[in-house]
Amino acid sequence: MQYRINPKNGDEISVLAFGCMRFKRDEKETEQQIIKAIEMGVNYFDTAYIYPGSEATLGRILSKGYRDKVKIATKLPPYLVKKKEDFDKIFHTQLERLKTDYIDYYLIHMLPNLDVWQRMISLGIEEWIEEKKAKGLIRNIGFSYHGGQEEFVKIVDAYPWEFCMLQYNYYDEFNQASKNGLLYAADKGLPIMIMEPLRGGKLVNLPKEALQVFDESEEKHSPAEWSFRWLWNHPQILTVLSGMNSQEMLQANVASACLAQADIITDKEKELYKRVKDVLNRSFLVPCTGCAYCIPCPHGVDIPMCFTCYNETAVTRKISARFNYIVRTAGHNSSKCVGCGLCEKHCPQSIAIRKELKAVTASLESFPYKPMAAFMNRFMKH
């Protein structure tokens, strides 16, 4: 196992982290996997308050003599915080579930925009964090993020964070927070944890044409290895989460992690990644690369994020894509487009953005978008 040093506190963190969002129903099997992962050098385990049964399962397993061998990361869901007392209510529940008296890496879960963070501030979260850190109950404070680049930068600048977690992979290099966001956070000294390295499995189950591109390389790797190698090539990345639900997957990912190095991807390999992305783009509804040349929109539309969510409808359930759309584009959705056309002048892909935004609106803002959005907005803000 390779390790990287957290520049904020000197922690040695395994480059491969265990994502605990979806444990198997058989807790004995899950226990075997977690213990095996620890024995193989994995020392960072990521869970969350809202992952069903995850915190309690992880707590029971680690309480059998493994707690001091690992770093636990878990998350506070801001949409469940309605009053100041909810901070302690949620946090103490998490400590009980995890059978621990401190959290190594605590995240504000899925901050969608600066407005939600400011609401948390109005409820006293800054003082609450200071109190918990002073008592040693929280060792490091950070946030996870799924939105666009502009809001990401605002959130990074809004508080003296000690780390952050974002979705990043070779396909999403220019989507969501993007490479620019990653570099911005790194320049601010933030350790960066990566989620969705395989884009929910899409980068494992590649089209035949994409597999043929990777086969041109002299070095042979599985699709998952290609994805992890690309991420570990970034020296700014501290660790990469993987939801490993089989011993075979664990073994394969650890083997890749043992070879993890920064700055080893060759120019020829970079060209292969680019060609694979081109193949994947052709499988999507809109060939948007997420370069963000089309923004800022004078009317507030987050164009790249709208297209990202729209493209998800081709590979996932509509309800999931609509939920992501509501959360990620809150206040910046496609129907805000007035058809001015300014964005199209800057699009290097020559996308008919106005036409495609209408398609996004028709697909993702049809019923039951409005009641879902109203419910989510109330849930997030109050």
Side-chain angles (χ1 to χ4, degrees):
M1 178 62 65
Q2 297 288 321
Y3 298 85
R4 292 184 179 177
I5 304 299
N6 181 337
K8 287 282 190 181
N9 59 20
D11 282 350
E12 281 193 350
I13 302 296
S14 55
V15 295
L16 177 67
F18 204 118
C20 303
M21 182 176 175
R22 298 181 184 92
F23 283 148
K24 288 194 171 182
R25 292 183 178 180
D26 187 337
E27 188 168 320
K28 288 185 178 179
E29 189 175 349
T30 297
E31 180 174 331
Q32 291 173 353
Q33 288 177 241
I34 289 178
I35 292 174
K36 185 64 175 178
I38 295 171
E39 291 173 347
M40 298 179 78
V42 176
N43 70 357
Y44 188 97
F45 289 78
D46 175 272
T47 182
Y49 182 80
I50 63 169
Y51 297 167
S54 177
E55 289 178 324
T57 298
L58 183 63
R60 284 192 294 269
I61 295 168
L62 295 182
S63 68
K64 299 178 180 181
Y66 298 97
R67 174 63 182 97
D68 294 338
K69 300 178 184 295
V70 304
K71 307 296 183 185
I72 293 177
T74 193
K75 311 177 191 76
L76 172 78
Y79 48 87
L80 294 184
V81 177
K82 311 303 178 186
K83 54 186 181 300
K84 184 176 182 179
E85 291 74 17
D86 290 338
F87 293 131
D88 273 337
K89 179 181 178 181
I90 293 171
F91 185 71
H92 289 311
T93 297
Q94 292 177 296
L95 293 180
E96 291 174 4
R97 288 174 175 175
L98 289 162
K99 297 186 183 300
T100 186
D101 54 7
Y102 68 95
I103 304 297
D104 300 281
Y105 289 84
Y106 199 63
L107 302 94
I108 310 304
H109 197 179
M110 202 169 66
L111 269 180
N113 52 53
L114 189 61
D115 290 343
V116 172
W117 175 242
Q118 289 174 336
R119 182 182 72 81
M120 300 288 279
I121 290 176
S122 71
L123 292 174
I125 194 168
E126 292 177 307
E127 296 79 13
W128 182 83
I129 292 171
E130 290 177 10
E131 175 200 344
K132 294 296 181 282
K133 286 181 65 65
K135 293 180 177 178
L137 301 179
I138 292 175
R139 303 289 173 85
N140 303 275
I141 187 71
F143 68 96
S144 65
Y145 185 77
H146 280 284
Q149 180 182 322
E150 291 184 56
E151 289 295 321
F152 177 75
V153 169
K154 292 177 184 177
I155 292 172
V156 167
D157 289 340
Y159 186 77
W161 305 103
E162 293 167 309
F163 71 106
C164 65
M165 183 166 70
L166 51 91
Q167 176 173 325
Y168 194 59
N169 50 65
Y170 68 80
Y171 185 81
D172 286 321
E173 183 176 11
F174 302 108
N175 291 333
Q176 299 205 20
S178 79
K179 183 175 182 178
N180 288 337
L182 180 142
L183 295 177
Y184 186 83
D187 285 343
K188 291 284 187 174
L190 293 187
I192 299 167
M193 284 65 170
I194 298 299
M195 57 184 158
E196 295 288 354
L198 306 178
R199 214 172 197 268
K202 183 169 181 61
L203 301 184
V204 173
N205 302 308
L206 293 173
K208 182 178 179 180
E209 186 181 352
L211 293 173
Q212 290 172 339
V213 172
F214 277 141
D215 282 344
E216 295 177 20
S217 172
E218 294 180 4
E219 289 197 34
K220 303 304 178 183
H221 304 289
S222 70
E225 287 177 304
W226 280 111
S227 298
F228 286 121
R229 287 183 78 244
W230 187 88
L231 288 166
W232 289 322
N233 190 64
H234 294 67
Q236 302 88 357
I237 291 174
L238 184 62
T239 190
V240 178
L241 272 63
S242 178
M244 298 169 281
N245 56 15
S246 73
Q247 292 288 1
E248 293 76 18
M249 189 182 299
L250 173 62
Q251 295 276 359
N253 289 355
V254 169
S256 297
C258 289
L259 302 174
Q261 295 184 52
D263 299 320
I264 63 166
I265 301 295
T266 67
D267 289 340
K268 287 184 179 179
E269 289 175 327
K270 290 177 182 177
E271 181 61 25
L272 294 181
Y273 283 110
K274 181 179 182 300
R275 288 169 57 196
V276 169
K277 286 174 64 175
D278 289 341
V279 172
L280 292 174
N281 278 332
R282 290 196 293 273
S283 71
F284 283 160
L285 301 173
V286 182
C288 174
T289 65
C291 69
Y293 288 167
C294 58
I295 57 176
C297 164
H299 301 281
V301 181
D302 188 339
I303 299 168
M305 185 54 62
C306 287
F307 288 156
T308 293
C309 295
Y310 183 45
N311 281 332
E312 286 180 1
T313 65
V315 296
T316 189
R317 292 187 306 161
K318 185 74 167 286
I319 190 70
S320 298
R322 181 174 278 128
F323 174 82
N324 289 338
Y325 178 72
I326 291 171
V327 172
R328 298 174 185 175
T329 68
H332 305 281
N333 46 303
S334 60
S335 59
K336 289 185 174 293
C337 173
V338 300
C340 69
L342 181 64
C343 52
E344 295 180 2
K345 298 178 181 178
H346 303 288
C347 178
Q349 309 301 321
S350 299
I351 296 171
I353 294 176
R354 288 172 289 182
K355 175 184 175 182
E356 297 297 353
L357 285 176
K358 288 181 179 179
V360 175
T361 301
S363 176
L364 294 177
E365 295 192 33
S366 58
F367 184 82
Y369 168 78
K370 287 185 178 179
M372 283 179 65
F375 174 76
M376 288 300 298
N377 288 334
R378 285 197 303 270
F379 205 46
M380 298 286 279
K381 293 181 179 180
H382 299 291

